Amino acid sequence: LEFVVRGSFLSVADNVVTILVDLAVTKDDVDVAAARQELEETNAALAHPTDGFEFLRLLEVRDWCQARIKLAE
């Protein structure tokens, strides 16, 4: 079973691994058409970000879209 995760933290203590994530999706959860559309819109917005924070947010969205598409294909 494979997942794509977003916003994660990993801890190892006493031979126990704990992983906390904000969001995780499986291949079956991905709507590829929607992810591609979001990627296209994000790439267009990256051409003219309003400021540095917007640019960083758009990069995160782009990476999330690409990860979901890669998982689903």
Side-chain angles (χ1 to χ4, degrees), residues 23-67:
L23 183 60
V25 296
T26 66
K27 180 178 182 175
D28 293 337
D29 295 328
V30 178
D31 179 339
V32 176
R36 287 186 189 282
Q37 179 65 35
E38 185 178 10
L39 178 59
E40 184 177 312
E41 293 168 2
T42 301
N43 283 332
L46 276 166
H48 305 287
T50 57
D51 57 31
F53 292 111
E54 175 71 2
F55 180 73
L56 293 175
R57 186 189 71 76
L58 290 167
L59 289 178
E60 288 179 8
V61 172
R62 183 194 64 188
D63 291 347
W64 179 241
C65 292
Q66 290 173 335

